[in-house]
Amino acid sequence: MKFLDQAKIFIKSGDGGDGVVAFRREKYVEFGGPDGGDGGRGGDIVFESVENLNTLIDFRYTQHFRAKKGGNGAGSDRTGAGAQPLVIKVPVGTQIFDDERENMLADLDKPGMRIVLCKGGDGGFGNARFKTSTNRAPRRADKGWPGEERWVWLRLKLIADAGLVGLPNAGKSTFLKAVSGANPKIADYPFTTLHPQLGVVRLSMTEEFVLADIPGLIEGAHEGTGLGDRFLGHVERCAVLLHLIDGAAGGVVDAWRTIRHELEAYGGGLSEKPEIIVLNKTDAMTPRELSSRKAALAKASGAKVMAICAVTGEGVKEVLRALQNVINESRKS
C-alpha cells in the first residue's frame, strides 16, 4: 500500500428537505385545514479516526464527499426522513486544516474520536406551520436550508512513542528492521527511505513501544533541500528521539549539529524533546576511533553517547532499554 500523509478534499453536508403544501381531505370533515409536513434534516459530514488505517492514499482517488439531502415533507403532517450522516474514516493521528492551512479544525489523535465538521441543513416548514386564526388555509411552504460546504486539508502525523532521526545512510532502516518486525528498504545509497515506516518493538511480555523511521535529513532540509523536513511532523508526537549517527563516516560532531539545526528550524517542540545519541556501525571503526568519536560527540552535545552495531546487534538492547525508560516516564505524566 502506498503512503500518503496529506490530501485536500471537498466536503458538503446534505441540504434540508422541502416543506410541502397540503390540505386535509377527509369524509365528513367539513373544514380540513392545512396538514403539510416539514422537510427532514440533511446528513452531517462526520470524521472518525480508526485504528486499521495508516495512510491517506484513499483520498487521492476520492476527493469529493457529499452527504444526502433530507426527505421532503408530506401530507397528514408527515415530516420528511432525516438523512444519515456521511462518516469519513481517517487514520489515528489525522489533523484537519482549513483551505488556507492556517487554522487546525480538528486533531483526531485517539481511536474512535468523531467530529462533525459540516452540519446538515434544517428541513423547510410545511404549510401547517403557518396556520393562524386569520390565515386558515396558508399556501406557503419553505425550501430546506442548504448544507455547509468547504475544502479542507488532511494531514497525517503518525502515532509513535519514539522517532528515529539522522542523516541519510546513518543506518536508521537497518536499526528498525533489527529491532522490530518492520521490513523497510535497505540499500547503500542515500534516501533509501522515501516515506515514514513504523515498527513495534517488544522488550518483554509487558513492555513494547512504537518506533518511527523517517527519511534522512540533510543540511538545508527546512528550506526544501533533499526530501525537505515535512516528514518531521511524524515524530512530533514522540516522547523521545533516537538520533542515529554514522560513526564510520567521521565528522560525527558536524553530523549531530546538522540534525540539531534542522530540528530547531522546523520547530514544533522537536528540539526540546529528550534525545538519545547513538553512534552506529561500530564494526567499521577501530577501538581508538570509537573512543575518540564518542568523546568528541559527548563534549559537543553535553550528553551521554551510546554505541551500537545494528547489523550484529551489539549494544542494541541497551539502547532499547534507554528508550523504554524515557517512554515509561512520559506515560506516567
Side-chain angles (χ1 to χ4, degrees):
M1 179 181 292
K2 293 184 178 180
F3 182 83
L4 185 70
D5 62 353
Q6 63 180 14
K8 185 179 183 180
I9 63 172
F10 174 81
I11 54 177
K12 184 183 185 305
S13 58
D15 298 336
D18 300 335
V20 299
V21 175
F23 294 92
R24 181 181 178 191
R25 291 176 175 83
E26 188 175 341
K27 193 175 183 181
Y28 306 123
V29 178
E30 184 176 2
F31 302 105
D35 66 352
D38 301 338
R41 183 182 177 86
D44 298 333
I45 296 290
V46 180
F47 284 85
E48 180 183 7
S49 57
V50 294
E51 290 185 291
N52 59 341
L53 294 176
N54 57 12
T55 176
L56 299 174
I57 190 64
D58 292 340
F59 299 102
R60 172 172 289 179
Y61 310 107
T62 305
Q63 298 172 344
H64 293 78
F65 297 86
R66 293 180 173 88
K68 291 185 178 180
K69 177 185 175 183
N72 295 334
S76 302
D77 288 318
R78 288 176 291 176
T79 301
Q84 292 296 318
L86 176 59
V87 180
I88 303 174
K89 295 184 178 181
V90 295
V92 177
T94 299
Q95 295 178 331
I96 306 174
F97 291 86
D98 62 9
D99 191 18
E100 305 297 327
R101 297 199 201 184
E102 294 180 355
N103 300 315
M104 186 169 65
L105 307 176
D107 186 3
L108 306 176
D109 59 351
K110 293 181 177 61
M113 288 185 66
R114 292 168 67 101
I115 180 172
V116 178
L117 214 58
C118 290
K119 292 185 177 180
D122 292 328
F125 286 161
N127 68 332
R129 292 270 193 170
F130 301 103
K131 178 183 177 182
T132 66
S133 60
T134 58
N135 186 8
R136 301 292 185 90
R139 284 173 168 77
R140 172 187 169 184
D142 292 345
K143 292 284 188 181
W145 289 88
E148 301 173 352
E149 62 180 60
R150 68 193 309 171
W151 285 91
V152 295
W153 279 94
L154 305 180
R155 184 182 181 188
L156 175 60
K157 290 184 178 180
L158 296 175
I159 304 296
D161 299 302
L164 276 167
V165 296
L167 293 173
N169 273 12
K172 300 186 298 298
S173 296
T174 303
F175 180 84
L176 180 67
K177 184 174 182 179
V179 301
S180 71
N183 190 28
K185 182 179 179 181
I186 299 173
D188 59 352
Y189 54 83
F191 299 114
T192 308
T193 301
L194 298 177
H195 56 78
Q197 299 275 352
L198 289 179
V200 178
V201 180
R202 290 184 174 86
L203 285 179
S204 65
M205 294 295 291
T206 59
E207 291 181 310
E208 68 177 32
F209 62 89
V210 179
L211 181 63
D213 173 26
I214 64 171
L217 300 170
I218 61 175
E219 186 175 359
H222 66 283
E223 298 173 345
T225 307
L227 294 179
D229 64 356
R230 179 166 63 90
F231 292 112
L232 280 174
H234 294 289
V235 294
E236 279 188 32
R237 305 180 192 270
C238 295
V240 58
L241 298 179
L242 178 60
H243 190 163
L244 214 57
I245 300 172
D246 183 357
V252 294
V253 174
D254 291 339
W256 174 79
R257 286 175 175 162
T258 296
I259 299 300
R260 291 300 303 177
H261 175 68
E262 296 303 324
L263 295 178
E264 292 169 2
Y266 177 83
L270 289 182
S271 58
E272 285 80 36
K273 287 186 178 293
E275 178 188 37
I276 296 177
I277 304 173
V278 177
L279 274 179
N280 192 18
K281 305 181 183 180
T282 56
D283 58 331
M285 291 182 284
T286 64
R288 184 175 181 178
E289 289 174 335
L290 176 60
S291 176
S292 63
R293 290 170 186 175
K294 280 183 66 176
L297 194 53
K299 182 178 180 181
S301 63
K304 178 183 177 181
V305 178
M306 307 181 76
I308 66 166
C309 177
V311 175
T312 64
E314 178 187 356
V316 170
K317 287 186 177 180
E318 290 78 6
V319 170
L320 295 181
R321 172 48 58 188
L323 287 172
Q324 185 70 68
N325 290 340
V326 177
I327 293 168
N328 290 342
E329 290 298 321
S330 69
R331 288 172 178 172
K332 292 177 183 178
S333 59

